Amino acid sequence: NQEIWIVPFMDPDGRWIVERATYPPYNGSLPWMWRKNVNRTAAGSQNCGWPPTGEVSSHAGVDLNRNFDWFWNLGNTDVCNIFYRGQTPSSEPETQAVQNLFKSIFNDYKGSNLSDPAATTTKGLLMNIHNTFGSVSWPWGHTSIYAPNHTALELLGTKIAGKVGYKAGQMSVIPYNQKIYGTLDDWLYGTLGIPSFIEELNYGYQPAYTSVDLNIWPQGHLNAFLYAAKVSREPYTLAFGPETSLVAVSTGSSAILTASIND
């Protein structure tokens, strides 16, 4: 009954840079660490380091998770910094593509004021998968003030985190313990009212593909995703109710419905 969209990579060019380390003329044994896209047109970016030498090395490009049009103006202005916000809000084609996609998928359930809560009839939910803190967090990231739908967001995020044994908290506290600006999650919740969660996996920045079967599913992520899919039809209402599982129907002279209800 639910429609699920999967965006495997928001930054395919950045992914290519990660792999570039192992190709000629570099021929390295390990991939590079690269957070940003590969936009080298920003003023001064020609002075950024190349090739990258570590997780926080100086390099050109824009941090796409700081480029969304949501309190963007407070973000990092250092062109070579790994958290560089870009020259203008939503300046990057990757950011624009994601914003346009989500606007085509989701309806707008939230008023224009920061304090306007999203409607209880909101339909949809975002799971934004990152590495590598082992946590689940929700808006706001740009302030420590609670979002208008904080209680429901906290219930949803805590339940998702509980299925995998992760920490849970507001984005400005967990995992960063600092305010972050121009993020996808703040933009989607603030603009359309869709409950948005960053799930930080804890298998390292470049986990082996085999970790999907060896770690990710066994740790409970499938159950977390299934819960998110089930409640997405009306998340701000279903957050307050128990979970239903083990549903079965037996038929004969009468139909008998059995289920497990767990809060």
Side-chain angles (χ1 to χ4, degrees):
N1 297 303
Q2 316 297 62
E3 181 173 291
I4 299 174
W5 285 74
I6 298 175
V7 181
F9 299 108
M10 184 178 165
D11 184 12
D13 294 338
R15 163 81 182 203
W16 183 84
I17 290 291
V18 170
E19 298 177 355
R20 185 75 178 84
T22 62
Y23 303 153
Y26 306 103
N27 298 317
S29 59
L30 295 174
W32 284 326
M33 300 295 286
W34 189 275
R35 179 183 175 89
K36 301 155 84 176
N37 70 359
V38 297
N39 181 359
R40 294 193 177 94
T41 63
S45 63
Q46 66 274 11
N47 299 320
C48 301
W50 181 265
T53 56
E55 175 191 341
V56 294
S57 61
S58 169
H59 53 251
V62 174
D63 179 354
L64 299 175
N65 203 37
R66 300 295 186 274
N67 186 239
F68 284 83
D69 190 8
W70 191 263
F71 287 82
W72 169 93
N73 59 310
L74 298 176
N76 193 294
T77 59
D78 179 356
V79 173
C80 297
N81 190 280
I82 59 170
F83 300 116
Y84 174 55
R85 70 186 186 183
Q87 292 180 288
T88 58
S90 309
S91 60
E92 305 310 293
E94 300 93 340
T95 309
Q96 295 167 20
V98 170
Q99 289 184 170
N100 291 335
L101 173 66
F102 287 170
K103 285 180 178 179
S104 73
I105 295 173
F106 299 117
N107 293 324
D108 186 354
Y109 297 96
K110 190 177 183 304
S112 57
N113 294 323
L114 197 64
S115 58
D116 290 338
T120 56
T121 55
T122 297
K123 298 183 184 300
L125 185 146
L126 171 70
M127 292 289 291
N128 188 6
I129 310 301
H130 291 226
N131 278 321
T132 180
F133 291 102
S135 62
V136 175
S137 56
W138 52 84
W140 301 115
H142 75 272
T143 177
S144 57
I145 295 173
Y146 284 169
N149 299 93
H150 174 80
T151 301
L153 290 170
E154 183 177 46
L155 283 169
L156 291 166
T158 301
K159 288 183 178 182
I160 292 169
K163 293 182 182 300
V164 292
Y166 281 176
K167 297 176 292 184
Q170 186 167 321
M171 203 189 313
S172 57
V173 178
I174 291 178
Y176 306 107
N177 198 28
Q178 62 181 339
K179 296 173 185 176
I180 53 176
Y181 308 99
T183 66
L184 165 59
D185 302 79
D186 268 8
W187 173 83
L188 184 60
Y189 171 72
T191 303
L192 302 180
I194 305 300
S196 304
F197 301 92
I198 292 181
E199 181 179 8
E200 294 265 359
L201 306 179
N202 63 347
Y203 308 109
Y205 284 111
Q206 297 170 338
Y209 183 76
T210 54
S211 66
V212 174
D213 290 333
L214 294 176
N215 306 112
I216 294 177
W217 287 148
Q219 189 172 347
H221 291 277
L222 177 59
N223 291 331
F225 293 149
L226 287 173
Y227 172 74
K230 286 195 293 184
V231 299
S232 66
R233 73 178 187 269
E234 202 165 280
Y236 293 130
T237 299
L238 295 175
F240 293 90
E243 293 183 52
T244 304
S245 61
L246 304 176
V247 179
V249 178
S250 59
T251 58
S253 58
S254 61
I256 300 175
L257 171 67
T258 59
S260 175
I261 307 295
N262 189 338
D263 199 18

